[in-house]
Amino acid sequence: MSERRYQAREIEAKWQAVWAQERTWEVPNRAVPDSASARPHPPAARHDGPRRDKSYVVEMLPYPSGEPHIGHLKNYAIGDAIAHFRRRTGHRVLHPMGYDSFGLPAENNAIKTGVHPRVATEQSIAAFQRAFRSWGISIDWSREIASHEPEYYRWTQWIFLQLYRRGLAYRKESAVNWCPNDQTVLANEQVVDGRCERCGHVVELRQLEQWFFRITDYADRLLDDLDTIDWPEHVKTMQRNWIGRSVGAEVNFRCQELGIDYPVFTTRPDTLFGATFFVMAPEHPDVLRLAAGTENERAVRDYVNHALTESAEERGDLDKTKTGVFLGRTVTNPVTGEEIPMWVADYVLMEYGTGAIMAVPAHDERDFAFARAYDLPIRQVVAPRDGSPVPSDEAYVTKADDAILVNSGDFNGLTPKAGFERIVHWLDMEGIGHPSVNFRLRDWLVSRQRYWGCPIPIVYCPACGMVPVPEEQLPVVLPDIQEYQPKGRSPLAAAEEWVNTACPECGGAARRETDTMDTFVDSSWYFLRYCDARNDAAAWDPAVLREWMSVDQYIGGVEHAILHLLYARFFVKALADMGLLDVQEPFNALFTQGMILGPDGQKMSKSRGNVIPPTPLIERFGADAVRTYILNMGPPDQDAAWNDNALTGAHRLLSRLYTLGAELAADSDPSLAAAAETLAQPVEPTGDGLTLVRKANWAIDRVTSEFVGRFGFHNAIAAVTELVNDLYRLPRADAEARRFAIATAASLIFPFAPHLGAEVFELATGRRAWEEPWPAADPAMLVAESFELVCQVNGRVRDRVQAPSGAPREELERLALAAPGVIAHLDGQEVVKVVVVPDKLVNVVVR
RNA sequence: GCCGCGGUGGUGGAACGGUAGACACGGCGGACUCAAAAUCCGCUGCCGGAAACGGUGUGAGGGUUCGAAUCCCUCCCGCGGUACCA
């Protein structure tokens, strides 16, 4: 008995060295043979044998801040398992890595400590690199990128210019979200419940000139193309809600006194006859003009001033009673001809629709509440078809077919749906309205008044105006500065020698744009750069993208369901429209992993003190055990609480498998081991050997189906566990059957515990697991010659008897009726019916 | 409010409409040991029973079915998203 204890550290170091030395996971591009030849690949690294399907597997790139945490490990353990499986099922797998290395936390850290963000970020990147290697993640390191490096952001700037050129990047003054703590503007997507997503401060609205990307141009396609991708339904739903498409009509309401038309957007043109007043947002530019000269002028002015100073949070409070002020003017309801009063009220939002609404209090809850508060008329124009009364204390909002229009002139008696169509058509004919679609989605605000980000490649010239930096002058390099403290403008503005530049057009004195880009810009295209990461002549070669895009499997946290995933989709569509790319969607399949919670079931956080740092665990139990445990915690898309004990269970499984491999290698005749050239299962196993061979095939089938299906890796690991347990239970099975079963277990655990899998596979076969094709289950071994027939009486199990597989129904029925447990429960009752499920059960129905 | 996802032993979780609780953790018992750890073996939903076995059981209540954790209806609870979006 030699040393047979499972020493994870030794085994892991051994295989990590092999993979690093042989660059096992590097995959050259095929489209441009020369692009990869700068670094010669040893023969073992070649994957260019017979034509293989490509598979592009990407995990969301990490934001490098401090040390990696256990959630990163989960993310990459899932992706790595998938990458390994795809490699072994005949795919050329691209599995790269990079860092989303610009961003606020590094800059805030710099403000606190004075350490340059680049220094802190690069330290963190080094920690991530060490971690990825010690975890044994199969990464193609030849394609590594970091978004803060000029070699990368040069092309981020290039993409900005392409968008600018096509009018998709533009500068505009508007009311924007301003975080007073971080001293920068934020995208709509970064404001959560009226607060800054990062620091939690209440966000203010400020009127500022900022850079936007015209993502709203793509609203329809971003919505429609969700149907073409294999994403979790809840993520698609979140995106649909965020885009928020509403179908309705635009209708003109004319103010006769001033001779101005005011269009409104409504999703209920069918209720137009019930519009009894008209409301404008306090920010509407015409509000003060309308009120001017009326007796309400002063009240309106006060109301508007008050509304503008309120925070988004206060204004959004639903419980607050509705307020507003009469403008002293009227507009004409275009269908009734009535003059209806104009009001200003803060429940109307300037950002949505036209900033003005027609109010139909009878059929809209908000209008109802407002009408009640100010005693405005409420006219019912939709009623139940059967004439039943509607409650008088709330709005009747139905548009179902059991309701009909009333008090609506020629349109009486129509269903709301039909009324919608007819009224819109009539408005169109009369030239006072038309069908219209509105989106909730706003353009993406991309400029930030912060230092640690990608400079916007624009120059302001007193003579030429706004001038894009010529492409050949890229990158606009982010200069080093000393003072990071934001002062309401970018800290870059203080870097005078950088800011002052020559106008690319006239050569005169000009100033650089000092805002930087939102870091979500950097991460909206990195998966494109991976494909052609070392290209220094272009962001990518379109031919290379044709080889790899789209991403076949994307893996990441659901917290990016809207922001990153929407922005990346927009980028791909915009770039495709420019002819730079052939696909419409970046990520064909998405998997969202759940969070690992602390042992207390709460989200891990330093303040709670429930953080599980991965490194000590890996030193103690090995990366394989931690990876296996994390994937065994439950369905990987669900949140799960950490449990140290369960981790030792995963370690025990690997240890037991290792012992089997070590004993096999020690006990077997060396010539036999050497002769095990083929991995074929024993030809005609018998007894326990047959049981083991069957179990191994069953496990192959189960593990494979989890990879093909829902990534239920906990079930896959359970199947391997059962196989290992059987190997312990059946020590006397013949040697070749055991060898086959042990090799199979090692082969199947390899995607989850690659070092241990490789080690045991080598012990059992002398070969390398990752160079072997994924095992295929032998159909003949998936069925036994007999099975346990479940015998039920009235649906309750009363006995179990052995029956031959494939036996005819009559025989199964006969066996069941003869089973003692069944006879005991028949008890002289009449057999009404016998249900037979072949190879499974018989149910005897008695009365 | 609206949209989405869930609710199964002490715990994490299994289960094409066909044996509910695989596998793991925890617990109990045993082997090995001077002893402990490690390792190995066995038992473990609940109630009754020494056992065989019987009853009961998947948030609640109905329904469909020979048979329901699974399908349908009503409701309760939890989680996530979103919300004066006209």
Side-chain angles (χ1 to χ4, degrees):
Chain A
M1 283 279 235
S2 55
E3 180 57 53
R4 281 178 198 164
R5 276 175 61 90
Y6 169 41
Q7 302 285 2
R9 295 190 72 163
E10 283 169 30
I11 293 171
E12 292 180 3
K14 166 184 165 185
W15 292 105
Q16 282 162 18
V18 170
W19 298 329
Q21 191 163 24
E22 299 187 1
R23 296 187 203 159
T24 312
W25 317 119
E26 291 183 21
V27 181
N29 288 338
R30 203 183 254 144
V32 187
D34 287 346
S35 74
S37 62
R39 297 177 70 178
H41 282 267
R46 282 188 197 282
H47 285 263
D48 53 10
R51 174 76 189 139
R52 293 173 163 193
D53 293 334
K54 70 94 182 178
S55 187
Y56 188 9
V57 179
V58 190
E59 302 93 352
M60 290 181 186
L61 86 177
Y63 175 76
S65 169
E67 300 276 325
H69 55 73
I70 203 88
H72 288 113
L73 180 49
K74 179 168 180 176
N75 192 198
Y76 301 108
I78 294 169
D80 205 40
I82 296 167
H84 277 308
F85 176 77
R86 301 236 166 135
R87 282 189 194 100
R88 294 183 57 200
T89 48
H91 297 85
R92 298 178 73 226
V93 170
L94 177 53
H95 188 221
M97 184 57 68
Y99 311 94
D100 186 16
S101 40
F102 272 138
L104 261 185
E107 186 170 344
N108 288 340
N109 176 66
I111 292 167
K112 225 189 306 174
T113 65
V115 177
H116 193 285
R118 180 179 298 106
V119 174
T121 298
E122 290 181 351
Q123 272 171 8
S124 177
I125 287 176
F128 273 79
Q129 288 167 330
R130 277 195 304 276
F132 289 138
R133 291 182 197 274
S134 77
W135 297 346
I137 309 292
S138 61
I139 294 163
D140 180 346
W141 288 108
S142 71
R143 298 165 184 269
E144 189 182 22
I145 55 115
S147 62
H148 76 290
E149 290 172 347
E151 296 76 28
Y152 182 88
Y153 70 69
R154 169 184 182 184
W155 303 112
T156 307
Q157 293 171 341
W158 179 81
I159 292 170
F160 181 97
L161 294 178
Q162 307 314 305
L163 293 169
Y164 178 77
R165 201 149 290 151
R166 285 160 183 82
L168 293 172
Y170 66 95
R171 214 171 141 77
K172 187 184 92 176
E173 185 184 303
S174 72
V176 297
N177 302 299
W178 172 266
C179 174
N181 182 54
D182 287 335
Q183 295 271 309
T184 183
V185 297
L186 299 170
N188 263 22
E189 288 81 357
Q190 289 160 336
V191 180
V192 178
D193 295 333
R195 288 169 181 272
C196 172
E197 171 191 56
R198 280 238 115 85
C199 69
H201 266 72
V202 174
V203 166
E204 299 169 0
L205 278 184
R206 287 204 182 175
Q207 201 69 21
L208 292 170
E209 191 168 300
Q210 295 291 329
W211 283 98
F212 292 87
F213 284 163
R214 212 178 289 282
I215 191 172
T216 52
D217 271 13
Y218 288 81
D220 263 318
R221 285 163 64 187
L222 288 168
L223 190 68
D224 293 343
D225 288 355
L226 285 172
D227 296 334
T228 68
I229 49 183
D230 178 17
W231 284 21
E233 207 45 52
H234 68 281
V235 176
K236 290 191 188 185
T237 303
M238 281 192 234
Q239 293 219 345
R240 286 192 188 105
N241 290 343
W242 189 262
I243 296 166
R245 184 179 141 105
S246 295
V247 176
E250 212 166 276
V251 186
N252 282 325
F253 283 72
R254 188 170 184 81
C255 176
Q256 303 289 352
E257 289 164 283
L258 299 178
I260 304 173
D261 279 338
Y262 286 107
V264 300
F265 173 74
T266 176
T267 55
R268 294 297 302 274
D270 48 312
T271 65
L272 188 48
F273 283 81
T276 53
F277 57 102
F278 185 95
V279 191
M280 286 178 142
E283 296 85 354
H284 197 290
D286 281 8
V287 164
L288 294 176
R289 176 154 73 124
L290 282 160
T294 72
E295 62 202 32
N296 304 62
E297 181 172 358
R298 169 155 223 113
V300 169
R301 191 179 303 278
D302 289 347
Y303 183 80
V304 168
N305 284 341
H306 176 72
L308 294 185
T309 57
E310 251 185 335
S311 72
E313 201 182 30
E314 290 168 309
R315 239 182 106 165
D317 182 4
L318 273 179
D319 296 332
K320 149 181 130 163
T321 48
K322 295 218 167 1
T323 59
V325 176
F326 178 47
L327 283 177
R329 305 276 181 187
T330 61
V331 284
T332 313
N333 180 324
V335 285
T336 63
E338 283 173 290
E339 289 300 308
I340 60 174
M342 298 180 87
W343 288 67
V344 56
D346 67 0
Y347 80 93
V348 176
L349 307 175
M350 192 61 217
E351 314 90 76
Y352 189 78
T354 62
I357 61 155
M358 67 176 209
V360 184
H363 307 293
D364 180 279
E365 286 171 31
R366 297 149 301 174
D367 298 343
F368 183 87
F370 192 78
R372 272 293 170 84
Y374 292 95
D375 205 19
L376 292 158
I378 298 171
R379 183 191 303 144
Q380 190 183 354
V381 292
V382 181
R385 186 185 288 278
D386 62 11
S388 57
V390 300
S392 60
D393 57 349
E394 60 183 30
Y396 179 65
V397 295
T398 188
K399 37 187 168 178
D401 284 348
D402 58 359
I404 53 166
L405 303 194
V406 296
N407 299 324
S408 295
D410 295 345
F411 304 99
N412 281 340
L414 295 174
T415 61
K417 213 179 289 171
F420 180 116
E421 299 299 329
R422 296 274 293 278
I423 289 174
V424 171
H425 183 251
W426 181 84
L427 290 167
D428 216 354
M429 296 284 96
E430 298 290 317
I432 46 180
H434 55 84
S436 176
V437 174
N438 244 275
F439 292 93
R440 211 189 78 110
L441 184 70
R442 302 270 83 85
D443 273 344
W444 174 13
L445 199 175
V446 295
S447 44
R448 296 289 180 275
Q449 290 71 53
R450 298 301 299 249
Y451 167 67
W452 189 235
C454 176
I456 294 174
I458 294 286
V459 164
Y460 299 96
C461 169
C464 312
M466 197 154 65
V467 181
V469 174
E471 288 176 17
E472 61 275 14
Q473 287 179 26
L474 299 181
V476 174
V477 176
L478 182 69
D480 280 348
I481 59 167
Q482 302 303 323
E483 180 60 65
Y484 309 105
Q485 194 69 47
K487 301 183 178 79
R489 56 174 197 171
S490 170
L492 276 179
E496 279 296 324
E497 63 272 42
W498 179 82
V499 172
N500 291 308
T501 185
C503 171
E505 276 180 15
C506 70
R511 293 179 65 82
R512 290 192 187 280
E513 168 66 75
T514 58
D515 283 358
T516 54
M517 291 184 224
D518 181 3
T519 51
F520 279 105
V521 179
D522 307 325
S523 58
S524 290
W525 72 283
Y526 72 102
F527 46 90
L528 303 176
R529 183 65 181 172
Y530 279 153
C531 298
D532 204 5
R534 298 289 164 263
N535 192 334
D536 56 10
W540 57 77
D541 178 341
V544 174
L545 256 51
R546 222 166 283 134
E547 179 180 354
W548 292 115
M549 286 296 289
S550 302
V551 173
D552 295 280
Q553 185 64 57
Y554 199 38
I555 305 115
V558 73
E559 65 272 17
H560 293 107
I562 298 170
L563 293 154
H564 163 61
L565 289 170
L566 193 65
Y567 295 150
R569 295 181 62 220
F570 159 62
F571 258 47
V572 162
K573 288 180 190 307
L575 293 166
D577 286 355
M578 298 173 197
L580 295 164
L581 175 63
D582 286 345
V583 297
Q584 284 297 322
E585 286 290 336
F587 315 119
N588 273 340
L590 172 69
F591 185 86
T592 53
Q593 98 243 18
M595 253 188 303
I596 298 182
L597 307 172
D600 55 357
Q602 300 292 308
K603 202 169 165 173
M604 284 189 194
S605 75
K606 278 186 192 141
S607 56
R608 275 201 195 86
N610 61 350
V611 175
I612 304 287
T615 309
L617 294 171
I618 283 163
E619 283 171 1
R620 180 151 167 230
F621 296 99
D624 284 335
V626 181
R627 290 176 63 166
T628 304
Y629 165 59
I630 285 174
L631 295 180
N632 203 27
M633 288 173 89
D637 54 345
Q638 274 177 33
D639 294 351
W642 187 264
N643 178 345
D644 273 324
N645 290 325
L647 168 61
T648 64
H651 183 261
R652 192 170 299 139
L653 165 66
L654 301 185
S655 183
R656 278 158 69 84
L657 178 52
Y658 176 77
T659 303
L660 290 170
E663 284 178 356
L664 178 70
D667 295 350
S668 60
D669 179 348
S671 63
L672 183 69
E677 260 306 300
T678 69
L679 304 173
Q681 68 188 27
V683 184
E684 275 186 4
T686 54
D688 289 351
L690 178 59
T691 307
L692 276 183
V693 170
R694 283 222 176 90
K695 190 71 176 189
N697 278 283
W698 169 86
I700 291 169
D701 191 54
R702 291 234 29 194
V703 176
T704 306
S705 69
E706 292 301 344
F707 273 108
V708 173
R710 270 151 283 170
F711 301 149
F713 298 139
H714 60 308
N715 292 329
I717 293 165
V720 178
T721 307
E722 285 195 48
L723 176 56
V724 170
N725 287 347
D726 272 12
L727 274 156
Y728 275 81
R729 268 194 277 271
L730 303 172
R732 269 182 260 287
D734 68 273
E736 282 317 291
R738 287 181 64 78
R739 182 185 303 280
F740 173 73
I742 291 166
T744 299
S747 183
L748 296 177
I749 205 73
F750 175 80
F752 313 114
H755 316 85
L756 182 274
E759 181 71 17
V760 175
F761 196 81
E762 188 184 59
L763 287 169
T765 69
R767 296 158 73 128
R768 294 170 145 189
W770 69 88
E771 291 174 358
E772 297 299 322
W774 188 254
D778 175 1
M781 284 294 161
L782 291 177
V783 288
E785 68 268 20
S786 72
F787 70 98
E788 195 172 66
L789 178 70
V790 172
C791 307
Q792 298 181 328
V793 177
N794 284 351
R796 321 194 60 143
V797 180
R798 295 304 184 186
D799 212 337
R800 298 178 173 97
V801 296
Q802 284 297 311
S805 297
R809 310 178 84 94
E810 303 74 46
E811 189 181 344
L812 296 179
E813 180 172 338
R814 196 173 45 73
L815 282 166
L817 287 169
V822 172
I823 292 168
H825 284 87
L826 290 182
D827 195 28
Q829 297 172 94
E830 183 194 352
V831 175
V832 184
K833 184 175 174 182
V834 179
V835 181
V836 179
V837 183
D839 287 333
K840 196 146 255 166
L841 65 75
V842 173
N843 186 16
V844 182
V845 186
V846 298
R847 197 163 42 201

